[in-house]
Amino acid sequence: MFFNRFRPGPRFRPGQMARICDDFLAPNSYLLIDGRRWIKPLGTPLKGWVYDGLVFQIEDSKLVFFTTMTCCLEESLRPIPILK
């Protein structure tokens, strides 16, 4: 398609875990990405990538399931650095 050529590529892929940097969740929240969509979310003027998936939090050095999330904006996600 002609218009897909100008769409930026997604920063995250399904199956990847990313840190959530939103005010409404705890600072130790992570999203296990289940899917992604190119849409125009409510309250935003332009289209962008949004992600759906499971939200986990760190409690007592354990990763604990917290809730599910739909329509998480790409701007609110940060990659997790890989330690070697």
Side-chain angles (χ1 to χ4, degrees):
M1 293 176 96
F2 176 73
F3 295 108
N4 286 343
R5 184 169 53 175
F6 300 108
R7 174 175 33 182
R11 287 178 40 197
F12 304 99
R13 59 176 166 64
Q16 185 176 358
M17 189 170 272
R19 185 166 182 250
I20 303 173
C21 297
D22 269 343
D23 295 335
F24 66 92
L25 288 174
N28 297 342
S29 298
Y30 297 89
L31 179 70
L32 178 61
I33 298 171
D34 188 33
R36 63 184 177 214
R37 296 173 281 149
W38 176 257
I39 62 170
K40 181 179 174 183
L42 292 174
T44 59
L46 301 173
K47 284 188 172 185
W49 287 106
V50 295
Y51 298 89
D52 307 326
L54 305 173
V55 177
F56 292 91
Q57 291 182 344
I58 297 177
E59 295 178 4
D60 299 328
S61 301
K62 296 178 184 176
L63 200 59
V64 180
F65 172 74
F66 181 67
T67 187
T68 59
M69 179 179 271
T70 59
C71 243
C72 182
L73 297 174
E74 187 173 64
E75 294 83 32
S76 63
L77 296 176
R78 302 290 177 264
I80 298 174
I82 298 174
L83 301 175
K84 292 183 180 182

